[in-house]
Amino acid sequence: MGVHIIKMPDIGEGIAEVELVGWQVKVGDSVTEDQALAEVMTDKATVEIPSPVVGKVIALGGQVGDTMAVGAELIRLEVEGAGNVKAEADTAKPDTVSEVQRANGAGAERKEEGDEPARRPEAAADVPRTMSADEPSLPSRPEPVSRPAPRQARERPLASPAVRKRAWDLGIELRYVAGSGPAGRIQHEDLDAYLQGQSATAPVAPGGYRERHEEEAIPVVGLRRKIAQKMQESKRRIPHFSYVEEIDVTAIEQLRAQLNTKFSASRGKLTLLPFIARAMVLALRDFRQINARYDDEAGVVTRYGAVHLGVATQTDSGLVVPVVRHAEARDVWGIAREIAQLAQDVRVGKAARDVLSGSTITLSSLGPLGGIVSTPVINYPEVGIVGVNRIVERPVFQHGTVVARQLMNLSSSFDHRVVDGMDAAQFIQAVRSLLEQPALLFVEA
């Protein structure tokens, strides 16, 4: 048997380091060729690292959240045959000493003499380390015991009325209790087992009211860390100002319903978003300073004829902005299909890296949760973002008569270094005019 070291591969595009966002294997697992070992994140996408060989995992080279350089040791496998450790050891010596070795006062010379003191397992687990080729592997840290994962918010736990009454009296949320009965039904024994797992120092108060003292520390890693860094950079660099306008979308909602009735089977169903995107494309013809990117370090604003529209999309991991390339060359059905496809790709983690960058302006929508007003953060280095709020029906005076109309706010933000307030207001008014007279969206000037 031999040891095969897999190093962090060169993912391309000049990337020198990546963030380790997840392990697909653990120490002791057997892996097959091409099996995914780990997920790493670049500035643009999450990438799976496959195994080139068959073997058994004997050591992991990092923890989730670590930043790893290209060429750094990712994982060690026990393989049939000689492996590749000897060849590497003969050609290059490790140029770093692990933090654990330094903590124990052990250098490379002591290791060669074989008198290195035993490491504390907890120190080895908590301290980032660089494994040398001849260093013995460390045992994995045992997985912590956790409470059962809660059910989804809308998933109703199965339990009899008597069990529900008892759980209420004990202050137990049934969504946290694992059921052992048929179809996962929660029984009295399950409540007893749940209570035995609670801390003896925190007695349960009757009547459903009790103090809660649990805390949960969640590392900010992976996509969430990228989002945090991007938002911080945007707010640090860009002097935002926001402009909010109310739009009557009654006519365009009626048109949308008619188009879906007639064409949904052949062309696909339309939401309001592609109409707004089309209105933005047409309005940007007269406001090119908004369809731009600002390199503030070089002091250069680049205006674009092409509208590469970023569409902010919520995923389980966080907000991602895929890009509809050349939105100016697509009709509303073409934009709708592209938005739907991009949203599907990013939500299942299959979006190509080139669709996650290069946008010139961004459209953001929270759908029915859009609220009345929002202050969207500009997607740096762009200079504008249009945010969509929810539609509400309200009474409106029209020609002296009170009528019911469907109203929606557009809450938009702009970079005040590049876009003047008057230009931003005129741009949004142009979008408003197109949406309130939707026939204009289909007229080519």
Side-chain angles (χ1 to χ4, degrees):
M1 302 295 287
V3 175
H4 186 94
I5 296 176
I6 300 174
K7 295 186 176 182
M8 184 64 66
D10 183 356
I11 299 176
E13 299 185 359
I15 293 171
E17 61 183 19
V18 297
E19 180 185 350
L20 180 60
V21 296
W23 284 108
Q24 302 292 337
V25 296
K26 60 183 182 296
V27 172
D29 284 354
S30 296
V31 299
T32 59
E33 189 174 354
D34 294 329
Q35 179 180 339
L37 300 174
E39 291 182 347
V40 299
M41 173 167 281
T42 70
D43 290 336
K44 298 180 180 179
T46 300
V47 180
E48 289 185 341
I49 307 299
S51 172
V53 297
V54 176
K56 179 180 178 182
V57 179
I58 56 175
L60 305 178
Q63 301 180 39
V64 172
D66 288 351
T67 298
M68 303 187 72
V70 171
E73 187 170 317
L74 177 66
I75 195 170
R76 289 189 177 200
L77 302 178
E78 185 180 64
V79 296
E80 296 287 345
N84 66 354
V85 169
K86 186 176 186 304
E88 294 206 6
D90 291 341
T91 57
K93 281 190 175 181
D95 57 357
T96 58
V97 179
S98 72
E99 295 291 339
V100 177
Q101 287 175 317
R102 283 197 289 269
N104 289 335
E109 296 80 9
R110 294 187 60 183
K111 184 175 176 181
E112 292 175 357
E113 295 169 4
D115 58 353
E116 182 182 359
R119 299 181 180 85
R120 293 185 300 111
E122 59 270 29
D126 294 336
V127 182
R129 53 194 302 275
T130 302
M131 296 185 295
S132 63
D134 55 352
E135 185 179 351
S137 61
L138 295 174
S140 63
R141 182 169 53 181
E143 294 292 332
V145 178
S146 59
R147 66 190 301 181
R151 294 174 174 83
Q152 298 299 318
R154 297 183 180 179
E155 183 182 352
R156 180 177 173 84
L158 295 176
S160 67
V163 170
R164 293 184 183 279
K165 175 64 168 60
R166 184 185 175 207
W168 170 260
D169 292 339
L170 293 172
I172 297 175
E173 293 186 48
L174 288 180
R175 64 190 295 254
Y176 290 105
V177 180
S180 61
R185 181 179 295 274
I186 300 172
Q187 303 181 16
H188 288 285
E189 307 88 83
D190 300 320
L191 296 182
D192 294 337
Y194 182 86
L195 288 173
Q196 290 176 1
Q198 302 298 308
S199 171
T201 61
V204 178
Y209 297 94
R210 61 187 178 92
E211 293 184 358
R212 294 185 178 275
H213 302 280
E214 63 268 24
E215 296 180 1
E216 185 179 9
I218 302 175
V220 180
V221 299
L223 181 59
R224 180 52 57 189
R225 178 186 289 180
K226 295 296 180 185
I227 293 172
Q229 292 171 345
K230 192 73 179 276
M231 293 299 100
Q232 182 178 14
E233 186 77 354
S234 293
K235 294 297 285 187
R236 183 181 71 85
R237 287 178 175 264
I238 301 174
H240 287 60
F241 77 94
S242 294
Y243 181 86
V244 182
E245 180 57 284
E246 184 179 71
I247 298 175
D248 188 337
V249 295
T250 307
I252 201 167
E253 281 293 273
Q254 292 172 350
L255 174 62
R256 185 174 70 87
Q258 293 170 356
L259 292 175
N260 282 336
T261 299
K262 187 171 183 179
F263 297 111
S264 61
S266 58
R267 301 188 184 182
K269 190 173 181 180
L270 294 172
T271 65
L272 184 59
L273 216 56
F275 290 96
I276 298 173
R278 181 60 183 166
M280 290 172 59
V281 165
L282 295 178
L284 285 170
R285 293 176 179 177
D286 297 323
F287 298 93
R288 292 187 60 197
Q289 69 271 33
I290 297 176
N291 187 44
R293 295 163 69 94
Y294 181 32
D295 185 345
D296 49 2
E297 293 183 353
V300 176
V301 176
T302 303
R303 297 180 177 181
Y304 296 88
V307 180
H308 300 314
L309 182 66
V311 181
T313 305
Q314 188 65 39
T315 71
D316 292 339
S317 302
L319 195 66
V320 179
V321 186
V323 182
V324 178
R325 303 282 178 186
H326 290 287
E328 78 282 358
R330 304 172 187 267
D331 61 14
V332 289
W333 285 281
I335 294 174
R337 285 192 296 269
E338 187 69 7
I339 289 175
Q341 184 61 56
L342 291 173
Q344 173 67 17
D345 289 345
V346 298
R347 284 171 181 150
V348 299
K350 304 222 178 262
R353 284 174 291 187
D354 59 349
V355 305
L356 298 176
S357 62
S359 54
T360 57
I361 190 169
T362 293
L363 176 60
S364 176
S365 172
L366 289 175
L369 301 177
I372 298 174
V373 173
S374 57
T375 54
V377 178
I378 297 170
N379 186 23
Y380 175 83
E382 298 166 25
V383 300
I385 182 171
V386 175
V388 182
N389 299 118
R390 74 170 181 263
I391 297 174
V392 295
E393 188 175 54
R394 293 208 302 268
V396 175
F397 277 101
Q398 195 172 70
H399 308 298
T401 304
V402 177
V403 295
R405 306 294 289 181
Q406 291 181 290
L407 304 176
M408 178 191 74
N409 286 346
L410 286 185
S411 300
S412 306
S413 298
F414 301 91
D415 186 339
H416 220 328
R417 299 170 300 177
V418 178
V419 182
D420 295 332
M422 180 64 72
D423 292 332
Q426 290 176 341
F427 167 68
I428 295 300
Q429 290 301 328
V431 173
R432 173 187 177 183
S433 178
L434 290 164
L435 293 175
E436 291 185 345
Q437 303 174 76
L440 296 176
L441 296 174
F442 300 88
V443 175
E444 283 297 329

